[in-house]
Amino acid sequence: MNFILRILIIGISSYYFSSLFPWWIIILIPFILGSIIDDNYFSHFLSGFLGTSAAWLFILLNIDFETQSILTLKVIQILEIDSVNNLIIINSLIGGVFSGLGNISGLALRNIFVKKKNLRDYRFN
């Protein structure tokens, strides 16, 4: 449940805050979320990656649809990429990696300051 909740929070906030704030907000939101919720590193990276990748995929498809691919065709010519789909996928993956790393950084900061409890069920004392 934590995993799906993190994906939804990161995805929705990345979608809406990307239009209001600079692009690096996709690192700050997962960082804060990673420092609040405790789980393993892979789960945190994957939730940040999936949430932001999906959000940026929808944002880029919306921009491509609204501009009727004029903007993306110009970027493709500048970067010498094969197609519009490759450009959208590459941008989504880059955003997802940055968000996942931000989420891991928040968890690492939490692990530095919060002491883990001993999880043994029994004691010999």
Side-chain angles (χ1 to χ4, degrees):
M1 183 65 185
N2 264 347
F3 180 71
I4 296 171
L5 183 66
R6 277 196 319 260
I7 290 175
L8 289 175
I9 291 172
I10 291 170
I12 292 169
S13 61
S14 294
Y15 184 81
Y16 287 112
F17 289 153
S18 291
S19 62
L20 301 174
F21 296 105
W23 70 269
W24 47 265
I25 196 71
I26 65 159
I27 300 171
L28 188 63
I29 293 167
F31 180 83
I32 293 169
L33 199 62
S35 63
I36 294 172
I37 299 174
D38 188 26
D39 207 353
N40 61 10
Y41 286 102
F42 182 71
S43 173
H44 271 275
F45 178 80
L46 199 59
S47 65
F49 181 83
L50 291 176
T52 302
S53 292
W56 272 27
L57 182 69
F58 288 123
I59 289 171
L60 293 169
L61 288 173
N62 189 21
I63 290 171
D64 188 49
F65 180 73
E66 286 179 356
T67 62
Q68 297 175 355
S69 297
I70 295 171
L71 182 63
T72 51
L73 291 175
K74 302 256 184 204
V75 173
I76 284 173
Q77 290 174 356
I78 292 171
L79 296 178
E80 298 177 358
I81 297 177
D82 297 336
S83 69
V84 174
N85 297 335
N86 289 344
L87 178 68
I88 291 173
I89 290 171
I90 289 170
N91 282 333
S92 295
L93 292 177
I94 289 172
V97 167
F98 281 128
S99 178
L101 291 176
N103 211 345
I104 285 177
S105 299
L107 180 63
L109 183 72
R110 175 189 170 85
N111 288 341
I112 289 172
F113 291 113
V114 175
K115 183 179 178 183
K116 294 233 182 203
K117 294 181 180 178
N118 192 1
L119 299 177
R120 294 191 318 183
D121 293 334
Y122 53 87
R123 294 182 183 200
F124 292 112
N125 306 26

